[in-house]
């Protein structure tokens, strides 16, 4: 939450300045990093509240851009495919926001944990519902990591909150595929 990040920045900034230069530099880097996170959080809030982004098409364009740019910055080759049978329609704020945050969490997990060189975002229709898959060619997870990590439970909670389902397939040494199937309608 951006208010929590802002509070952390204030807490760090209010501490008395240390005498050694390396500690000052470390503190300034932390403030800078947290500030970037606040700006990113505010951008996401503004995007999700903007009525111009209510359509599935606008959401998919944002997902494509975010995924490709973020993974490219992380050095990964990324392929994005959208099936031709996806109809543009209005999405609720909750569906739009939770789909975006799911993709963001999955991309973050790929960058932090997968040791991958390639990733793929695939969006299609499954029985008139929206299916979004994110996969990588990384190291995969063992079952304990999937059930105990913070990211996966957060993704599950987000997708379940909008009436969706999530499945995770991980093969050690081959990679991970996370697929969500959720309503593509305004609900």
């Amino acid at each position: 939450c951006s208010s929590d990040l802002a509070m952390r920045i204030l807490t760090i900034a209010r501490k008395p300045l240390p005498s050694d230069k390396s500690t000052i530099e470390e503190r300034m880097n932390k403030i800078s990093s947290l500030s970037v996170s606040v700006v990113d959080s505010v951008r996401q809030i503004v995007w999700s509240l903007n009525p111009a982004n209510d359509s599935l098409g606008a959401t998919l364009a944002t997902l494509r851009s975010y995924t490709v740019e973020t993974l490219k910055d992380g050095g990964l080759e990324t392929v994005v495919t959208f099936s031709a049978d996806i109809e543009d329609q209005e999405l609720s704020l909750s569906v739009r926001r939770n789909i975006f945050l799911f993709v963001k969490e999955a991309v973050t997990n790929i960058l932090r944990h997968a040791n991958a060189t390639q990733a793929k975002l695939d969006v299609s229709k499954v029985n008139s519902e929206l299916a979004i898959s994110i996969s990588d060619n990384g190291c995969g997870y063992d079952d304990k990591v999937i059930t105990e990590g913070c990211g996966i439970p957060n993704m599950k909670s987000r997708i379940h909150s909008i009436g969706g389902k999530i499945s995770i397939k991980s093969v050690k040494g081959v990679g991970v595929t996370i697929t969500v199937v959720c309503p593509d309608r305004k609900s």
Side-chain angles (χ1 to χ4, degrees):
C1 179
S2 56
S3 62
D4 294 337
L5 293 170
M7 185 54 71
R8 287 177 60 196
I9 292 169
L10 284 173
T11 301
I12 294 168
R14 288 180 176 160
K15 287 182 180 179
L17 281 177
S19 57
D20 65 292
K21 192 174 182 173
S22 65
T23 306
I24 293 172
E25 208 171 291
E26 183 180 307
R27 190 178 295 175
M28 294 307 294
N29 287 337
K30 183 67 174 175
I31 290 172
S32 175
S33 174
L34 289 170
S35 298
V36 168
S37 296
V38 168
V39 170
D40 184 47
S41 180
V42 170
R43 274 192 194 127
Q44 289 172 27
I45 291 166
V46 170
W47 173 81
S48 67
L49 294 175
N50 184 347
N53 296 322
D54 283 354
S55 74
L56 178 58
T59 300
L60 294 180
T62 299
L63 293 180
R64 176 192 308 266
S65 174
Y66 175 81
T67 302
V68 170
E69 290 174 22
T70 304
L71 291 173
K72 181 181 178 185
D73 289 346
L76 277 76
E77 177 185 324
T78 306
V79 175
V80 177
T81 58
F82 293 161
S83 70
D85 62 346
I86 298 174
E87 299 169 13
D88 197 19
Q89 54 193 294
E90 193 173 341
L91 294 178
S92 71
L93 170 63
S94 178
V95 169
R96 198 169 67 243
R97 182 174 184 275
N98 283 298
I99 288 172
F100 177 76
L101 291 173
F102 155 73
V103 169
K104 184 178 178 191
E105 183 76 42
V107 166
T108 298
N109 284 350
I110 290 170
L111 291 172
R112 286 187 183 162
H113 308 294
N115 296 320
T117 58
Q118 298 174 335
K120 182 176 182 184
L121 171 65
D122 181 64
V123 181
S124 60
K125 290 285 242 182
V126 173
N127 300 325
S128 77
E129 292 188 303
L130 187 66
I132 302 170
S133 291
I134 300 179
S135 57
D136 66 68
N137 69 342
C139 59
Y141 298 106
D142 63 28
D143 291 335
K144 189 174 184 178
V145 171
I146 288 176
T147 58
E148 292 180 3
C150 291
I152 300 297
N154 286 342
M155 284 191 270
K156 287 179 178 181
S157 175
R158 288 186 187 291
I159 297 306
H160 291 149
S161 76
I162 58 172
K165 299 174 204 103
I166 185 169
S167 65
I168 302 165
K169 179 182 175 193
S170 177
V171 178
K172 209 140 175 74
V174 175
V176 175
T177 299
I178 303 174
T179 303
V180 300
V181 178
C182 55
D184 65 353
R185 62 197 174 278
K186 187 170 179 94
S187 32

